[in-house]
Amino acid sequence: ATRGGRPSFAFYTEELTLQARHRLELGAALRLAVERKELVLYYQPIHDLRTGSLAGVESLVRWQRPVHGLVPPGEFIPLAEEMGLIDRVDAWVMGEACAQMQAWRQRGVSPGFVAVNVSSRLFGGDMLLPRVEEVLAQTGMDASLLEIEVTESAIMDQPDRALAQLDRLHVRGVRLALDDFGTGYSSLLRLKLLPLHKLKIDQGFVRGLPDSQGDRAIVLAIISLAHQLGLKVLAEGVETQAQLDFLVAHGCDLAQGYFFGRPVPAGVLFPDEPLAH
Ligand code: C2E
Ligand code: CA
Ligand code: CA
Ligand code: CA
């Protein structure tokens, strides 16, 4: 087969070279982004479904790239992981989120707790616990206000080292949430061993509520499992009233999603000046 009169392998090779060059470029820029303070944190509200009030926020990183604009994490977190930069990104996020939390609290506008996403790299290098200690010492934030979100696949990377660090964090008073629950490879046996505070139901299961019989069954099973294990359960990606109604009716504790609010910069979540009435 030919394309434009040239053999197709030549076309694909050019494509690959372009892709590879783009990735190299992006990688080099990303390496500098942390130092140049180009990363920014957005915060998404998490609501308590029993009281209807704000329970906490999840911090979600973005890359404010000069000229290019705002790059979503899906476009640079995987690259950061491959390049060995993710531990630096996550370490920065941890510091920034806790500093912001303390700034809010000093103004009397605390959003409850702050959740931070942590990838497997920080675990594997045994860096998580020292970084958490450092950040708590620097900011003076209470450990119980910090929630660490980990995915099943991050834990499965190095289960024993992950477990050891998570146990020590638990003793320290930091809360642990299992992110994207139901999408990983974890066994229920492992679930039992983790010092968890919360399960986060992946948005892939919430999307089909309340119509999909399969999604209904899975969400009900996760809510029940969480409660039987003495854990809180949070539904991610809630976009509609009908999804919310189903979750409330079946005892889900917490929810986040566009229905409540998109991730926004700190100054949008809590504007600096009180709004005039
Ligand atoms: P995640 O931790 O599962 O975060 C939830 C994602 O769903 C976020 O995407 C959020 O903006 C999006 N989302 C929230 N509500 C809704 C909704 O109602 N509908 C839909 N369709 N989406 C919703 P975002 O911010 O693009 O982050 C994507 C992923 O990037 C995160 O998934 C997380 O795995 C990763 N990530 C974000 N920040 C960090 C970080 O600081 N460190 C690490 N290691 N990973 C991060
Ligand atoms: Ca998360
Ligand atoms: Ca998630
Ligand atoms: Ca996810």
Side-chain angles (χ1 to χ4, degrees), residues 170-228:
H170 173 75
V171 169
R172 186 67 179 75
V174 175
R175 289 172 169 185
L176 185 66
L178 194 54
D179 205 355
D180 302 348
F181 184 68
T183 65
Y185 311 94
S186 162
S187 67
L188 293 176
L189 189 64
R190 190 94 58 194
L191 190 65
K192 202 179 68 171
L193 294 175
L194 287 172
L196 289 173
H197 175 75
K198 183 178 294 169
L199 293 184
K200 295 190 79 170
I201 305 175
D202 190 73
Q203 53 192 60
F205 302 120
V206 173
R207 200 169 297 132
L209 297 181
D211 297 327
S212 155
Q213 149 110 56
D215 288 339
R216 275 203 313 269
I218 290 168
V219 167
L220 290 181
I222 297 177
I223 292 173
S224 165
L225 176 66
H227 287 164
Q228 293 293 321

Side-chain angles (χ1 to χ4, degrees), residues 44 58 60-62 73 77 86 90 93 117-119 149 179-180 203 236-239 257-258 263:
Q44 186 175 34
E58 178 179 3
L60 293 156
V61 72
R62 276 96 181 86
I77 291 284
I86 188 65
D90 284 348
V93 167
N117 292 282
V118 166
S119 83
E149 294 194 6
D179 205 355
D180 302 348
Q203 53 192 60
E236 292 190 280
V238 176
E239 295 184 353
Y258 296 166

